[in-house]
Amino acid sequence: MPGLLLALALLPLAAADGGAAHGDFDRFLAAYRAADAAARGELARSFVERQRERGGFPIVEPGGQVVFLYVGAGGERAVHLLGDFATRSPQDMYWDAEGEPMTRAAPDGGLFFARRQLEEDARIEYQFLVDGERRTDALNPRTAPSGIARIGALETVSAFVMPGYPARPELAPRQGVARGEVRILDAVWADPAVAIYLPASYDAAKRYPVLYTADGSAWRELIGLPAILDNLIADGRIEPLVAVMIDAAEERQRWYTFNPDYLAYLERVVAFVDDHHATDPRPERRLHAGTSAGGRAALYAGFERPHLFGNLALLSPALSGPPSYWQPWFSGARRPEPRLRVWLSAGSYEGTLREDARTMATYFRKAGVETKAVFTHEGHTFGAWRNLVPAMLEHFFPGSP
């Protein structure tokens, strides 16, 4: 079997444009398999360093093929790929706990790989399962907080975007941008917790539109709504607004499933905000936004309280619930307020939820409701929702750049 020098000689030169040349990984794999066991470690290290300079990991090949690579110590028994592309079922967005087995490159090595076909503008989140232990991709520095990788756990996962995925510089806090103030509502009745964002230019003599969100803590900490608002307002992309971020109750699913208690609490929060802040109280100047089950709650509020909310943003809405609630709406016995405006989104890695969102968009349009639907190649993740927030806000509250 050839040794290290011959194996290295089999590898191609780096592409002049810094991109991945067709077959680079396959040529490396052939050299790796041809080398003796003692040479493989150095061969893998050389390939990894070169790929880091050229494009990083995972490796994007021509035509949308993506190679996920795990480089271990050699004693691993099995490595599996977990991620948005392998959920427990089309109806369940949580990741399959076993994932997909990765291929061992050589019988006595610690190199494992898997190939996936991804869309040119896809964004996915993933992990490796190494002998039963979950790990992020050590070769990929990009990570994200995930609430969908595992039931009952918020954990760090690896994040990956294809070359066509749009950059979003407005998401991160920027130096030199005036920051709004976030106040936690200090009232005995404020349970679940309520946080109120006031723009840096807040003036009590003016009247501001108001954004209300379900899952308030997630919008603050995982989506990063305050920084997004600061940047968009500073750039003139949206008008200054007040944002009210309302946490979920302890039993989140019950709280967000057509629950009259949710509506009653929402009404109390709206009344307080209007009484204590410079808001525009017209429904067309209020927006209720929610993700997943929070999107279902926002839809419920728009259906049942049109005098409060004239705008709805439903990001990957989980439209499950008792048929008895849906029946009068889809039979025509009840109809949504025609002045309602709806923005909704879903990703191609969200199973049947994507088709439910399409159905909902069709329903609203047939009912005469102004509707914008956005469909991406992403999963059921905070990262996906975070990237959609700027466009959603510009849709409802456009500014004057």
Side-chain angles (χ1 to χ4, degrees), residues 383-401:
W385 303 326
R386 183 172 183 245
N387 290 324
L388 289 167
V389 165
M392 178 270 288
L393 290 172
E394 288 180 288
H395 177 74
F396 288 111
F397 305 118
S400 301

Side-chain angles (χ1 to χ4, degrees), residues 131-264:
D131 295 334
E133 178 186 344
R134 289 171 176 254
R135 299 180 186 177
T136 56
D137 185 352
L139 301 178
N140 177 3
R142 300 176 294 271
T143 60
S146 173
I148 207 72
R150 180 158 35 182
I151 294 177
L154 181 67
E155 58 184 75
T156 300
V157 299
S158 294
F160 171 65
V161 297
M162 289 288 281
Y165 191 80
R168 301 291 189 194
E170 65 271 40
L171 300 179
R174 296 202 315 248
Q175 290 186 345
V177 170
R179 297 188 178 183
E181 179 185 0
V182 177
R183 303 173 178 175
I184 305 300
L185 180 54
D186 184 14
V188 175
W189 59 266
D191 182 18
V194 178
I196 302 173
Y197 166 93
L198 302 178
S201 59
Y202 181 78
D203 181 348
K206 298 181 178 180
R207 288 294 176 262
Y208 296 90
V210 189
L211 161 66
Y212 288 82
T213 80
D215 292 310
S217 293
W219 279 75
R220 293 199 326 271
E221 299 165 12
L222 303 178
I223 293 177
L225 180 61
I228 294 173
L229 291 172
D230 291 342
N231 292 338
L232 295 180
I233 292 171
D235 293 344
R237 290 172 56 181
I238 63 171
E239 61 181 304
L241 57 84
V242 172
V244 182
M245 296 158 279
I246 308 172
D247 283 2
E250 186 173 349
E251 294 183 45
R252 179 174 177 272
Q253 286 299 319
R254 183 193 66 81
W255 186 241
Y256 288 153
T257 304
F258 309 119
N259 187 344
D261 292 342
Y262 177 73
L263 294 181

Side-chain angles (χ1 to χ4, degrees), residues 46-66:
S46 175
F47 177 78
V48 166
E49 289 306 312
R50 201 155 50 89
Q51 180 59 31
R52 278 180 171 147
E53 295 174 357
R54 298 173 59 192
F57 293 89
I59 304 165
V60 180
E61 297 184 320
Q65 280 269 317
V66 177

Side-chain angles (χ1 to χ4, degrees), residues 33 53 59 68 108-109 112 148 152 157 195 200 242 254 260 308 316 325 340 342 345 391:
R33 286 171 169 168
E53 295 174 357
I59 304 165
F68 295 84
D108 53 357
F112 294 78
I148 207 72
V157 299
V242 172
R254 183 193 66 81
L308 292 181
S316 303
Y325 182 78
L340 189 65
V342 175
S345 67

Side-chain angles (χ1 to χ4, degrees), residues 265-276:
Y265 188 68
L266 195 57
E267 288 179 314
R268 186 165 191 178
V269 172
V270 170
F272 178 90
V273 171
D274 284 348
D275 284 347
H276 293 81

